[in-house]
Structures are given as structure tokens and as C-alpha cells.
Amino acid sequence: MYDTMVTVVGNVATSVDYRETVTGGVAKFRFAATARRWDRERAAWVDGHTSFYTVSAWRSLGANLAASVSVGDPLVIHGRLRVREEDRDGQRRTFVDIDASAAGHDLSRGTSAFRRVMKGEPRPADRPEAASDPAPEPDAARDPDRAAGGGGDGAGAAGRPAELVS
């Protein structure tokens, strides 16, 4: 196992394209990561070069990304780096891809509401209401922390605030 693993922080640049394949569903989208540095002369942050990656996410990660991510969302992507070269229009071009093994919203730039997908439940990409309706509050039958009374003191599992426990 000599794959190059990377973690990249950036923004979703294109809409997520989700497709079912013989080996399982796959989500693909372009991801932009812009370097920033502090410019002492200007006393301000300055944007550097922007790198673009094609991100692929398979199976449940792909379905969950398709249901959860929109263009412009700040994400943290972790996965295998793949560099490939192709001849297009008579020119040699280099493409950089990431096969994602984990992804999530960058919570240093906003908030997010996590919703666990239960086994046997339709995948988020299969539910027509996934794109328009907010996630419903989990009920006591599906949430063992709330069923055991773990919300009355303001703390859920592992001492986290109840609103962060899904």
C-alpha cells in the first residue's frame, strides 16, 4: 500500500454528478483549493494559486455527498491522490484526481447538521425530498441517546451538547 494519501481543504466548484455503476454508485465533482498567505506589506491575507481536482467518491460516501453538498460549500476531502496524463487536442495534459475515502464540511467556516443514515433506509440520493426538505428531527425510537433520556441535561453521547447528537 504505497498510495499517496492527501487531505485537501477547499470549495466545491461544480455540482455533484451521481451515477449508479455495476460496482456501485459514484459521485464526481470538481474541487478548488486556493492557497492563502499573510502579506506583511499590505497587512492582509492574499489569495495564491488555485488548484483544481476531480473528486470521486464511491458507494455510500458518494450517495451521501450527492445529497449533502452544493456548489460553493467548503469541504475537507481525504483520499488517494492520482495524477494522470492524457493527449487532448494534440496537447499533453495533466489531471489530478482524488479518490475520496472521507469528506465533510469545513466547520471552521460554518455550521452543519449531521443526519445518520440508518440501514434499510433509502439512500439520500434516492429520496426525492432530500434536496428540498430539511432533515427531520430523529425520534426516540431511532435515536438511542434520546430514548435513554440523554437530552434532558443538555448533554448527549460522550458529553456533547444534545443538538450535536444525531
Side-chain angles (χ1 to χ4, degrees):
M1 179 164 155
Y2 295 109
D3 291 330
T4 302
M5 301 298 287
V6 295
T7 301
V8 183
V9 177
N11 295 300
V12 178
T14 63
S15 61
V16 179
D17 179 30
Y18 181 78
R19 297 174 190 236
E20 286 292 336
T21 67
V22 177
T23 58
V26 62
K28 288 191 176 191
F29 61 96
R30 296 283 287 163
F31 189 68
T34 302
R36 290 179 56 86
R37 65 177 177 79
W38 180 257
D39 186 340
R40 289 183 189 180
E41 292 175 9
R42 295 183 192 169
W45 287 97
V46 178
D47 286 342
H49 178 75
T50 300
S51 298
F52 288 90
Y53 306 91
T54 298
V55 176
S56 299
W58 292 87
R59 293 171 282 289
S60 63
L61 177 58
N64 292 340
L65 273 168
S68 304
V69 170
S70 301
V71 173
D73 282 0
L75 295 183
V76 178
I77 303 287
H78 180 76
R80 288 178 186 84
L81 185 69
R82 305 269 190 233
V83 179
R84 58 189 168 86
E85 292 185 3
E86 294 180 7
D87 286 323
R88 286 197 180 172
D89 302 327
Q91 293 183 345
R92 191 88 168 146
R93 299 193 51 164
T94 302
F95 299 91
V96 183
D97 303 332
I98 299 173
D99 292 331
S101 57
H105 284 106
D106 181 355
L107 297 180
S108 69
R109 297 194 270 161
T111 63
S112 183
F114 180 79
R115 181 180 177 278
R116 187 178 309 274
V117 177
M118 300 297 179
K119 290 186 180 185
E121 186 178 327
R123 290 184 316 230
D126 294 340
R127 289 195 310 264
E129 75 277 1
S132 60
D133 292 342
E137 279 294 314
D139 58 24
R142 290 179 41 189
D143 190 349
D145 289 325
R146 291 185 189 206
D153 64 352
R160 295 184 307 224
E163 63 271 10
L164 297 180
V165 177
S166 63

